[in-house]
Short mmCIF file of all heavy atoms in Angstrom, two decimals:
data_model
loop_
_atom_site.label_atom_id
_atom_site.label_comp_id
_atom_site.label_asym_id
_atom_site.label_seq_id
_atom_site.Cartn_x
_atom_site.Cartn_y
_atom_site.Cartn_z
N VAL A 2 0.54 2.20 -0.82
CA VAL A 2 1.28 3.46 -0.90
C VAL A 2 0.66 4.45 0.08
O VAL A 2 -0.55 4.64 0.12
CB VAL A 2 1.24 4.04 -2.33
CG1 VAL A 2 1.92 5.39 -2.37
CG2 VAL A 2 1.89 3.08 -3.31
N LYS A 3 1.51 5.07 0.88
CA LYS A 3 1.08 6.06 1.87
C LYS A 3 1.83 7.35 1.60
O LYS A 3 3.00 7.32 1.22
CB LYS A 3 1.38 5.54 3.27
CG LYS A 3 1.04 6.50 4.38
CD LYS A 3 1.52 5.94 5.73
CE LYS A 3 1.31 6.92 6.83
NZ LYS A 3 2.26 8.02 6.85
N LEU A 4 1.15 8.46 1.78
CA LEU A 4 1.81 9.75 1.64
C LEU A 4 2.20 10.27 3.02
O LEU A 4 1.40 10.22 3.96
CB LEU A 4 0.90 10.76 0.93
CG LEU A 4 0.95 10.68 -0.58
CD1 LEU A 4 0.11 9.53 -1.07
CD2 LEU A 4 0.48 11.96 -1.20
N VAL A 7 1.51 14.33 6.79
CA VAL A 7 1.46 14.79 8.19
C VAL A 7 2.87 14.91 8.76
O VAL A 7 3.20 15.92 9.41
CB VAL A 7 0.59 13.84 9.04
CG1 VAL A 7 0.66 14.21 10.51
CG2 VAL A 7 -0.85 13.86 8.56
N LEU A 9 5.68 15.38 7.11
CA LEU A 9 6.38 16.48 6.45
C LEU A 9 5.86 17.84 6.91
O LEU A 9 6.64 18.79 7.01
CB LEU A 9 6.26 16.34 4.93
CG LEU A 9 7.05 15.15 4.35
CD1 LEU A 9 6.61 14.86 2.93
CD2 LEU A 9 8.55 15.42 4.42
N ASN A 13 8.21 20.67 8.78
CA ASN A 13 8.30 22.05 8.28
C ASN A 13 7.53 23.05 9.15
O ASN A 13 7.43 24.23 8.79
CB ASN A 13 7.75 22.11 6.85
CG ASN A 13 8.69 21.44 5.86
OD1 ASN A 13 9.75 21.97 5.57
ND2 ASN A 13 8.31 20.27 5.37
N ASN A 14 7.00 22.60 10.28
CA ASN A 14 6.24 23.45 11.20
C ASN A 14 5.10 24.18 10.48
O ASN A 14 4.91 25.39 10.63
CB ASN A 14 7.15 24.47 11.89
CG ASN A 14 8.14 23.80 12.81
OD1 ASN A 14 7.79 22.90 13.56
ND2 ASN A 14 9.40 24.20 12.71
N TYR A 18 -4.08 23.54 7.26
CA TYR A 18 -4.75 24.75 6.75
C TYR A 18 -3.80 25.53 5.84
O TYR A 18 -4.18 25.95 4.75
CB TYR A 18 -5.22 25.63 7.92
CG TYR A 18 -5.85 26.91 7.46
CD1 TYR A 18 -7.16 26.93 7.00
CD2 TYR A 18 -5.13 28.10 7.46
CE1 TYR A 18 -7.75 28.11 6.56
CE2 TYR A 18 -5.71 29.28 7.02
CZ TYR A 18 -7.01 29.27 6.57
OH TYR A 18 -7.58 30.43 6.12
N ARG A 21 -3.48 23.65 2.57
CA ARG A 21 -4.71 23.79 1.75
C ARG A 21 -4.77 25.14 1.08
O ARG A 21 -5.12 25.25 -0.09
CB ARG A 21 -5.96 23.62 2.63
CG ARG A 21 -6.24 22.21 3.04
CD ARG A 21 -7.59 22.02 3.69
NE ARG A 21 -7.95 22.99 4.72
CZ ARG A 21 -8.82 24.00 4.55
NH1 ARG A 21 -9.41 24.19 3.40
NH2 ARG A 21 -9.09 24.82 5.54
N LEU A 31 -7.95 16.93 0.80
CA LEU A 31 -6.67 16.76 1.47
C LEU A 31 -6.75 15.64 2.50
O LEU A 31 -5.87 14.78 2.57
CB LEU A 31 -6.21 18.06 2.13
CG LEU A 31 -4.89 17.98 2.89
CD1 LEU A 31 -3.74 17.55 1.99
CD2 LEU A 31 -4.57 19.32 3.56
N GLU A 38 -7.62 7.34 1.23
CA GLU A 38 -8.95 6.99 0.72
C GLU A 38 -9.13 7.35 -0.75
O GLU A 38 -10.24 7.38 -1.25
CB GLU A 38 -10.03 7.69 1.55
CG GLU A 38 -10.05 7.24 3.00
CD GLU A 38 -11.03 8.03 3.85
OE1 GLU A 38 -11.63 9.00 3.35
OE2 GLU A 38 -11.16 7.69 5.04
N THR A 40 -7.83 6.63 -4.89
CA THR A 40 -7.22 5.60 -5.72
C THR A 40 -6.24 6.20 -6.72
O THR A 40 -5.52 5.46 -7.39
CB THR A 40 -8.30 4.81 -6.49
OG1 THR A 40 -9.09 5.72 -7.24
CG2 THR A 40 -9.17 4.03 -5.53
N GLU A 48 3.41 17.42 -7.45
CA GLU A 48 4.34 18.54 -7.61
C GLU A 48 4.14 19.59 -6.52
O GLU A 48 5.10 20.08 -5.92
CB GLU A 48 4.14 19.17 -8.99
CG GLU A 48 5.10 20.29 -9.31
CD GLU A 48 4.88 20.87 -10.70
OE1 GLU A 48 4.29 20.20 -11.56
OE2 GLU A 48 5.33 22.01 -10.92
N TYR A 53 5.58 22.65 -1.64
CA TYR A 53 5.23 23.30 -0.38
C TYR A 53 5.75 22.57 0.85
O TYR A 53 5.92 23.19 1.91
CB TYR A 53 3.71 23.49 -0.29
CG TYR A 53 3.21 24.49 -1.30
CD1 TYR A 53 2.41 24.11 -2.36
CD2 TYR A 53 3.58 25.83 -1.21
CE1 TYR A 53 1.97 25.03 -3.30
CE2 TYR A 53 3.16 26.76 -2.14
CZ TYR A 53 2.35 26.35 -3.18
OH TYR A 53 1.93 27.27 -4.11
N ASN A 55 8.67 21.00 0.76
CA ASN A 55 10.12 21.03 0.60
C ASN A 55 10.70 19.60 0.65
O ASN A 55 11.56 19.28 1.47
CB ASN A 55 10.75 21.90 1.70
CG ASN A 55 12.20 22.21 1.42
OD1 ASN A 55 12.60 22.27 0.27
ND2 ASN A 55 12.97 22.40 2.46
N THR A 57 11.19 15.65 -1.84
CA THR A 57 11.22 14.97 -3.13
C THR A 57 10.06 13.97 -3.17
O THR A 57 9.51 13.61 -2.12
CB THR A 57 12.53 14.20 -3.32
OG1 THR A 57 12.58 13.15 -2.34
CG2 THR A 57 13.74 15.11 -3.17
N PHE A 62 6.33 9.78 -0.68
CA PHE A 62 5.66 8.48 -0.75
C PHE A 62 6.37 7.44 0.12
O PHE A 62 7.59 7.44 0.23
CB PHE A 62 5.63 7.96 -2.19
CG PHE A 62 4.70 8.73 -3.07
CD1 PHE A 62 5.20 9.74 -3.89
CD2 PHE A 62 3.35 8.46 -3.10
CE1 PHE A 62 4.36 10.47 -4.71
CE2 PHE A 62 2.50 9.18 -3.92
CZ PHE A 62 3.01 10.18 -4.72
N MET A 71 4.39 -10.03 -1.44
CA MET A 71 5.75 -10.14 -1.97
C MET A 71 5.95 -11.43 -2.77
O MET A 71 6.83 -11.52 -3.60
CB MET A 71 6.76 -10.09 -0.84
CG MET A 71 6.85 -8.72 -0.18
SD MET A 71 8.02 -8.69 1.19
CE MET A 71 9.53 -9.13 0.39
N SER A 74 2.29 -17.03 -6.62
CA SER A 74 2.26 -18.47 -6.82
C SER A 74 2.97 -18.86 -8.10
O SER A 74 3.20 -18.04 -8.99
CB SER A 74 0.81 -18.95 -6.85
OG SER A 74 0.18 -18.47 -8.02
N LYS A 76 1.73 -20.54 -10.40
CA LYS A 76 0.76 -20.32 -11.48
C LYS A 76 0.86 -18.90 -12.03
O LYS A 76 0.84 -18.67 -13.22
CB LYS A 76 -0.66 -20.60 -10.96
CG LYS A 76 -1.73 -20.51 -12.00
CD LYS A 76 -3.09 -20.85 -11.40
CE LYS A 76 -4.18 -20.75 -12.41
NZ LYS A 76 -5.50 -21.05 -11.86
N ASN A 79 3.92 -18.36 -14.28
CA ASN A 79 3.89 -19.01 -15.59
C ASN A 79 2.90 -18.37 -16.54
O ASN A 79 2.65 -18.92 -17.59
CB ASN A 79 3.59 -20.50 -15.42
CG ASN A 79 4.73 -21.22 -14.73
OD1 ASN A 79 5.87 -20.89 -14.95
ND2 ASN A 79 4.39 -22.19 -13.92
N ARG A 80 2.38 -17.25 -16.19
CA ARG A 80 1.42 -16.57 -17.09
C ARG A 80 2.10 -16.00 -18.29
O ARG A 80 3.15 -15.52 -18.35
CB ARG A 80 0.69 -15.45 -16.38
CG ARG A 80 -0.35 -15.95 -15.46
CD ARG A 80 -1.13 -14.79 -14.94
NE ARG A 80 -1.89 -15.25 -13.78
CZ ARG A 80 -2.65 -14.48 -13.07
NH1 ARG A 80 -2.76 -13.22 -13.34
NH2 ARG A 80 -3.29 -14.93 -12.05
#
Side-chain angles (χ1 to χ4, degrees):
V2 175
K3 177 186 175 285
L4 276 79
V7 173
L9 290 165
N13 289 289
N14 294 315
Y18 177 79
R21 285 190 314 104
L31 179 59
E38 296 174 355
T40 56
E48 184 179 339
Y53 292 112
N55 193 29
T57 65
F62 290 97
M71 291 178 60
S74 69
K76 184 178 179 181
N79 292 325
R80 284 187 195 178

